[in-house]
Amino acid sequence: MLFRLLRLILILTLAVSAPMSFDAVAQGLGQAPAGLVADQQKIIQALTTKTDNFEKQIQQDAEEDSSLVDIRLQLEELSRQSLNSALAFRTRLGEINGRLEQLGAAPAAGQPPEPDIVSGEREALVSEKAEINAVIAQAQSLSIRISGLIDQIGNMRSELFRNVLTKRYVLSDALSPQVFSDARDEFGNFYKAVSSWLSFAFKFKFQAILAATFVALGLALVLLVGGRRLFGRVFEADPANEDPSYLSRLSVAFWSTLLPTLAVGVFLASTVFFFNYYNVLRGDIGLFLNALAAVIGVVFCVNRLTNAALEPRLPNWRLIPVETGPARWLVRLTTAMAVVIGVNYFLSVINDKMGSPLSLTIARSFGATIIVGVILILMAMLRPFKAHDGSWRPWPAWLRYTALALGLFTIVAALLGYIGLALFVSLQVVVTGTVLITAYIGFLSARAIGEEGAFANTTVGRWLSASSSYEDTALDQLGLVVSVAINVMIVLVFLPLILLMWGFQPGDIQAWAYKLATGINIGSVTISVTGILSGIVVFVIGYFLTRWFQGWLDGSVMARGKVDTGVRNSIRLAVGYAGVALAALVGISAAGIDLSSLALVAGALSLGIGFGLQNVVSNFVSGLILLAERPFKVGDWIVAGDVSGTVKKISVRATEIETFQRQSVILPNSNLINNAVGNWTHRNKLGRIDIKIGVAYGSDVKQVHAVLLEIARSHPMVLKNPEPFVLFSNFGPAALEFEIRVFLADVMNGNIAQNDIRFAVLEKFSSEHIEIPSTPRAVVEAHKPKAWPTDDDKIEADFAEQEQIRAEAEAEKKRLVKSRKTKKPDPD
């Protein structure tokens, strides 16, 4: 109640102080959105009109597949525009809903009434929201209607494709003598059209024709000659190489097909483009020239592919181990089949443009399909292999029967009247087969290049190895990159070609590419190739900018400012981690990934950290503490337990210490935080070294003290302040013990100073006749065990002889005892 009273007082105060009335305020609030609603209504009305026109056009062009594809692309654009109209109100709806929430609900019956300005504003906002919702509903309805038209076009195109394949024609009219007369008449008309255009072109456009032709030829030569100059033998088989590797044969077959075909394609496409640019072509001649260029390109590609794979002149470079004679026949038959299909396509364009009789079209397609079927059967019956005994062997069973089945199917379908189906099969055998074989060779080449050590043996790999410092490992990794790049290129180039051969239109591929680039919805997740690539590019740019800023900050700013090495290292690492983290966040945002959706992943990771990553997190946090507190820095001499050495690198997980034996020891940061660490150079490098010396009893100890003090003071590395000190430390069991204590400006030079002082002590004691006693050592006599007998056979023989003598003595003794017992006494 108190809150309502305060709000009422505030509203009244504003009303009194404002120069305008409540009605003026409400009118001012509604001015901007009213214009927005009107604008979007006009846009939706225009989109609805266009949709009505396209719906009529769909019915008119129901038999034209290419026209239906164009209409579908335009309808998809209309659908996106309608959705954008609905999204245009998102900001205003958010403002309205927020304001309505602030105003609250209208007072119920029995409660005090609210001010008129509040109720008036609420009514205006509710009315405006209703108008916006009505416009959004119109946009959504229009989008649904457009989606229905797009689905209708898809169904119509599928029905068209099925009708083409399943339609049966009557062959009696097509094979009648009237066909020859129709063909003669059509050839006459075609000749007149071409001759009239040639006369016009040579009279008025001769220079333009020459210029266009030479420019197109120049572009093709630049591509062909430049590629050969750049990559050399990758595109050409070397006749001198009698045993080329499998990778070399694959590469030559693939690139010697692709590069010349691209050059011819560039020449043909450029010629047509420049002819159109200079207005050389008229409508019908343009169609004829486009069709002729397509035929020449396909025939050339098929011929190059078969020659590259079979190599009739170079048996060692063949991918398929067939004999030379059959290889030549395969090249001829394959090229002939491509020529038949190409000529049939060119004649079909002429028939469509000139309105030829249906019987002539059927006869043309019938003859082409029969010839293709016969060629397939001849190729299947060919015996391309030779056995060891000299006999000829056919193709493998699966390949032979497949070719036979395709040939017989084409012939039978044509004889039964299914000309469209037979022609479709013939076209796929030639064109799709060529594309698939070329792509397969490319995939094999990419896989061979990606194998370990394969790229280093190629021409490019050897050139890189000779002209740069690339090692075998780097070349192997580069081979993997090249392999992936070739695979991606093959997919991007050959997949659209295959789709076009199977009845899809360029508009279909364009629509799929647009969807793939803008985003594919899988459940609530949107995958966008463009977004992912943008995120990767942003991250890479941020990463390299971070590395550049690190180098500039360390080498230009801190180095000129004489900043300590350890401080420079800490700042450089902190900047690097912060820059990489920022680049990752920006890259993720650029990729269109909602960071809030990673909360579940973060929760799972926190559970894993709590159980299995405790040591990792402990070392990470310890590393951050070391970089912040800097108990030691890079270049310090520290002692951590049994490890003593110089700090070389401090990272967030571990610290690298190099011992004085040049051994690198990696210590986890948590050990350096939780345990005692000695730092000889924490604040400065000033340090004390101690040298213990013993002299014999009876020596003049004051003389010894004076000599040692003089030696310590005379050393150049010993500081005068604090001054050196000699301590008479102990009466030892065998000597009088002294200790030299000196301070050095750089304790890292302690070993040098100790070494010099010890040499000086020996030299001075020798000249002053001061004895350094040594502890006597007890003399221990070595006990020599008996030598092991060297002649075991002799000992065994002596032992056996002694045993035999003993046995004989025992036997003689027993015999004597027995004889005494059995001997009778002599008679008296």
Side-chain angles (χ1 to χ4, degrees):
M1 189 66 184
L2 180 61
F3 176 73
R4 287 175 177 262
L5 181 61
L6 291 175
R7 187 175 65 181
L8 179 61
I9 294 173
L10 179 61
I11 292 173
L12 292 175
T13 303
L14 292 174
V16 171
S17 60
M20 63 179 61
S21 64
F22 296 152
D23 297 336
V25 173
Q27 184 179 1
L29 290 173
Q31 285 177 353
L36 180 63
V37 170
D39 293 341
Q40 296 303 320
Q41 284 179 340
K42 292 179 180 179
I43 293 174
I44 294 175
Q45 183 63 35
L47 294 177
T48 304
T49 303
K50 291 181 180 179
T51 305
D52 295 336
N53 296 331
F54 282 130
E55 188 173 8
K56 296 177 182 178
Q57 191 174 354
I58 290 173
Q59 304 302 325
Q60 295 175 359
D61 300 336
E63 301 296 329
E64 295 291 335
D65 186 69
S66 58
S67 299
L68 292 177
V69 173
D70 295 336
I71 295 173
R72 192 194 70 177
L73 291 176
Q74 298 181 53
L75 286 175
E76 289 178 350
E77 180 62 27
L78 292 182
S79 177
R80 287 190 288 269
Q81 293 178 7
S82 65
L83 292 178
N84 290 335
S85 297
L87 294 176
F89 296 103
R90 177 183 295 176
T91 303
R92 182 56 186 165
L93 281 177
E95 295 175 356
I96 293 174
N97 292 329
R99 184 58 181 159
L100 289 175
E101 185 177 355
Q102 292 177 358
L103 295 176
Q111 292 185 353
E114 60 183 0
D116 294 338
I117 187 174
V118 177
S119 59
E121 183 179 359
R122 183 186 294 107
E123 292 177 359
L125 292 174
V126 171
S127 176
E128 180 184 346
K129 184 177 180 180
E131 292 180 359
I132 292 176
N133 288 333
V135 176
I136 293 176
Q138 292 178 3
Q140 291 176 346
S141 300
L142 180 60
S143 178
I144 294 173
R145 179 188 174 190
I146 293 174
S147 299
L149 292 177
I150 293 174
D151 294 337
Q152 179 183 352
I153 290 175
N155 296 330
M156 294 172 66
R157 293 184 61 206
S158 300
E159 185 65 25
L160 281 176
F161 185 71
R162 286 193 297 270
N163 290 337
V164 170
L165 296 183
T166 58
K167 187 175 182 179
R168 186 177 180 182
Y169 297 91
V170 179
L171 299 179
S172 58
D173 296 336
L175 300 179
S176 64
Q178 183 64 30
V179 173
F180 297 98
S181 176
D182 295 339
R184 185 173 58 255
D185 295 340
E186 182 165 329
F187 177 76
N189 295 332
F190 174 73
Y191 178 78
K192 290 179 182 179
V194 173
S195 60
S196 63
W197 172 78
L198 287 176
S199 61
F200 163 79
F202 279 100
K203 285 182 180 179
F204 302 101
K205 298 289 185 177
F206 183 71
Q207 294 181 351
I209 292 175
L210 286 180
T213 304
F214 280 115
V215 170
L217 186 61
L219 293 175
L221 288 177
V222 167
L223 178 62
L224 184 61
V225 178
R228 291 182 182 275
R229 290 282 186 181
L230 183 61
F231 297 102
R233 295 181 180 178
V234 176
F235 302 105
E236 296 179 352
D238 185 8
N241 191 352
E242 297 181 355
D243 188 18
S245 64
Y246 181 66
L247 175 59
S248 299
R249 287 182 288 162
L250 281 174
S251 299
V252 168
F254 179 69
W255 294 108
S256 64
T257 300
L258 186 62
L259 185 67
T261 303
L262 287 177
V264 172
V266 167
F267 170 73
L268 296 173
S270 302
T271 302
V272 174
F273 172 79
F274 286 115
F275 278 11
N276 287 321
Y277 180 79
Y278 290 114
N279 295 322
V280 175
L281 301 177
R282 67 190 189 199
D284 54 346
I285 301 300
L287 291 177
F288 299 156
L289 189 59
N290 286 329
L292 182 61
V295 171
I296 293 174
V298 170
V299 173
F300 181 83
C301 180
V302 172
N303 183 263
R304 287 297 308 170
L305 176 61
T306 52
N307 274 287
L310 298 173
E311 279 292 349
R313 297 171 298 173
L314 300 174
N316 295 332
W317 286 88
R318 288 175 191 159
L319 289 177
I320 304 174
V322 298
E323 296 298 323
T324 302
R328 291 196 181 97
W329 274 108
L330 285 172
V331 172
R332 295 167 185 167
L333 291 174
T334 307
T335 306
M337 189 162 50
V339 169
V340 170
I341 293 297
V343 171
N344 178 72
Y345 171 73
F346 181 69
L347 293 178
S348 68
V349 173
I350 296 176
N351 295 152
D352 293 340
K353 184 62 180 176
M354 294 189 170
S356 302
L358 180 61
S359 58
L360 184 60
T361 302
I362 297 174
R364 168 185 50 79
S365 302
F366 177 79
T369 53
I370 292 296
I371 294 174
V372 170
V374 171
I375 292 176
L376 284 174
I377 294 175
L378 291 177
M379 293 174 65
M381 300 301 295
L382 195 65
R383 295 177 178 267
F385 306 108
K386 183 178 289 187
H388 296 290
D389 57 358
S391 60
W392 293 93
R393 294 187 296 107
W395 295 104
W398 66 272
L399 183 59
R400 183 170 71 255
Y401 292 139
T402 301
L404 281 173
L406 288 174
L408 291 175
F409 179 82
T410 303
I411 295 174
V412 172
L415 292 175
L416 293 177
Y418 295 100
I419 305 297
L421 179 60
L423 190 61
F424 178 78
V425 173
S426 302
L427 183 64
Q428 302 315 314
V429 168
V430 177
V431 182
T432 306
T434 302
V435 172
L436 289 177
I437 292 173
T438 307
Y440 181 67
I441 293 175
F443 283 127
L444 291 179
S445 179
R447 186 175 66 180
I449 291 176
E451 292 180 355
E452 184 176 0
F455 184 74
N457 296 323
T458 61
T459 304
V460 178
R462 287 192 293 268
W463 177 78
L464 288 175
S465 179
S467 61
S468 62
S469 58
Y470 281 104
E471 298 179 352
D472 293 340
T473 303
L475 289 176
D476 191 47
Q477 294 175 351
L478 184 59
L480 291 176
V481 174
V482 172
S483 176
V484 173
I486 292 175
N487 286 325
V488 172
M489 183 193 70
I490 291 171
V491 172
L492 294 179
V493 171
F494 291 101
L495 182 58
L497 293 178
I498 294 174
L499 294 177
L500 291 175
M501 293 304 102
W502 280 85
F504 295 96
Q505 297 292 333
D508 298 323
I509 301 175
Q510 179 183 350
W512 295 336
Y514 179 82
K515 290 181 180 179
L516 185 63
T518 56
I520 300 175
N521 295 324
I522 302 177
S524 60
V525 180
T526 301
I527 301 175
S528 173
V529 176
T530 304
I532 293 174
L533 292 177
S534 301
I536 294 174
V537 170
V538 169
F539 173 76
V540 171
I541 293 175
Y543 176 82
F544 283 106
L545 285 177
T546 301
R547 292 295 180 235
W548 170 82
F549 182 74
Q550 277 183 297
W552 174 80
L553 183 65
D554 183 43
S556 299
V557 179
M558 293 189 291
R560 293 183 181 180
K562 307 299 181 183
V563 181
D564 184 75
T565 305
V567 177
R568 290 168 57 183
N569 179 72
S570 299
I571 295 176
R572 186 174 64 252
L573 288 176
V575 170
Y577 290 131
V580 171
L582 181 61
L585 291 176
V586 175
I588 291 174
S589 300
I593 299 175
D594 188 5
L595 295 178
S596 61
S597 63
L598 301 177
L600 182 61
V601 178
L605 286 178
S606 63
L607 182 62
I609 289 172
F611 288 99
L613 302 178
Q614 292 181 359
N615 292 333
V616 176
V617 176
S618 176
N619 291 325
F620 179 79
V621 176
S622 300
L624 297 179
I625 294 174
L626 290 177
L627 292 174
E629 292 187 354
R630 299 180 60 250
F632 53 83
K633 57 187 178 298
V634 174
D636 282 357
W637 174 14
I638 67 172
V639 179
D642 298 333
V643 180
S644 176
T646 305
V647 178
K648 288 297 181 181
K649 182 180 179 182
I650 304 174
S651 61
V652 293
R653 190 197 68 83
T655 298
E656 179 183 349
I657 300 174
E658 184 179 81
T659 65
F660 297 107
Q661 293 81 22
R662 293 295 187 266
Q663 179 190 22
S664 295
V665 180
I666 310 300
L667 286 179
N669 289 330
S670 59
N671 293 355
L672 300 175
I673 289 292
N674 299 327
N675 300 323
V677 178
N679 190 348
W680 284 92
T681 56
H682 181 41
R683 292 182 177 85
N684 52 58
K685 294 185 178 182
L686 178 66
R688 192 188 80 180
I689 60 173
D690 302 335
I691 305 172
K692 296 181 179 180
I693 302 169
V695 299
Y697 278 93
S699 301
D700 187 352
V701 293
K702 291 187 177 180
Q703 181 188 9
V704 172
H705 181 274
V707 169
L708 295 178
L709 191 59
E710 179 186 358
I711 293 173
R713 288 174 176 173
S714 62
H715 196 279
M717 291 185 181
V718 176
L719 297 177
K720 306 302 181 183
N721 185 23
E723 63 177 348
F725 178 74
V726 177
L727 176 66
F728 187 2
S729 60
N730 192 22
F731 296 95
L736 301 173
E737 298 177 356
F738 288 81
E739 188 173 319
I740 301 176
R741 298 178 178 178
V742 295
F743 287 88
L744 304 179
D746 189 354
V747 74
M748 304 294 289
N749 297 324
N751 289 333
I752 299 175
Q754 291 183 37
N755 194 47
D756 295 342
I757 291 174
R758 288 192 178 99
F759 275 113
V761 167
L762 286 175
E763 183 179 353
K764 195 68 174 177
F765 279 12
S766 177
S767 62
E768 296 292 338
H769 303 289
I770 299 174
E771 182 183 357
I772 299 177
S774 60
T775 303
R777 297 180 180 180
V779 179
V780 180
E781 295 183 358
H783 175 69
K784 294 183 179 181
K786 291 184 178 181
W788 188 262
T790 57
D791 194 351
D792 294 340
D793 294 338
K794 184 175 181 303
I795 294 174
E796 292 179 359
D798 293 342
F799 180 76
E801 185 178 355
Q802 292 175 5
E803 289 292 327
Q804 184 178 2
I805 295 173
R806 187 180 298 108
E808 290 178 354
E810 290 291 336
E812 183 65 23
K813 184 178 180 181
K814 290 180 180 179
R815 187 182 61 77
L816 292 176
V817 172
K818 183 177 180 181
S819 64
R820 289 195 188 100
K821 290 181 180 180
T822 57
K823 188 177 180 182
K824 296 181 180 180
D826 295 335
D828 294 337

